[in-house]
Amino acid sequence: MLAGPDTSVEDYVLAEQGIERLRDGFAEYFQRYDALLLPVTPIPAHAHGLTRFTINGQTVDAAHMQTATIPFNLTGLPALSMRFGTSSDGMPIGVQLAANWHSESTILHIASLLESLSPVRDQHPTI
């Protein structure tokens, strides 16, 4: 990040306005729903240190792996991720839960329910 060019004031203001629109969209969503369930990444867990991935035949930069988590980093909404399955080659598959501001207890309650239903709830890594 430090090696990148400085951000202009105009670009910074546009980015902040975009984040505010994102917050507004989530606020509207959470007026109707208690939580949002979504993937953590577009693929199962992967080897560390990779910089490029092929998803549906398209090569993408590693930054693409964060597209489902970035909105919650930017908006400050509470979110958590948890393992919920396993790919055909044995790699973990995670799900992410997000909720409205100050609704951490909602996320934890839903996560507890999901964990009780998860097919991997009793699987633990060998130490």
Side-chain angles (χ1 to χ4, degrees), residues 18-85:
I19 293 168
E20 198 59 39
R21 285 191 301 277
L22 190 58
R23 284 186 186 114
D24 291 346
F26 279 123
E28 184 177 319
Y29 175 87
F30 289 122
Q31 287 179 2
R32 296 185 63 202
Y33 304 101
D34 293 331
L36 176 63
L37 176 69
L38 62 157
V40 177
T41 61
I43 60 173
H46 51 81
H48 292 279
L50 298 178
T51 59
R52 314 243 348 126
F53 298 89
T54 302
I55 301 173
N56 297 328
Q58 182 179 1
T59 301
V60 297
D61 187 75
H64 183 74
M65 296 298 113
Q66 303 173 25
T67 55
T69 58
I70 287 174
F72 308 107
N73 296 337
L74 293 174
T75 60
L77 286 166
L80 68 74
S81 64
M82 60 185 285
R83 183 177 180 189
F84 193 72

Side-chain angles (χ1 to χ4, degrees), residues 100-111:
N100 207 357
W101 290 273
H102 310 292
S103 296
E104 289 84 351
S105 61
T106 299
I107 293 175
L108 293 171
H109 177 71
I110 295 171

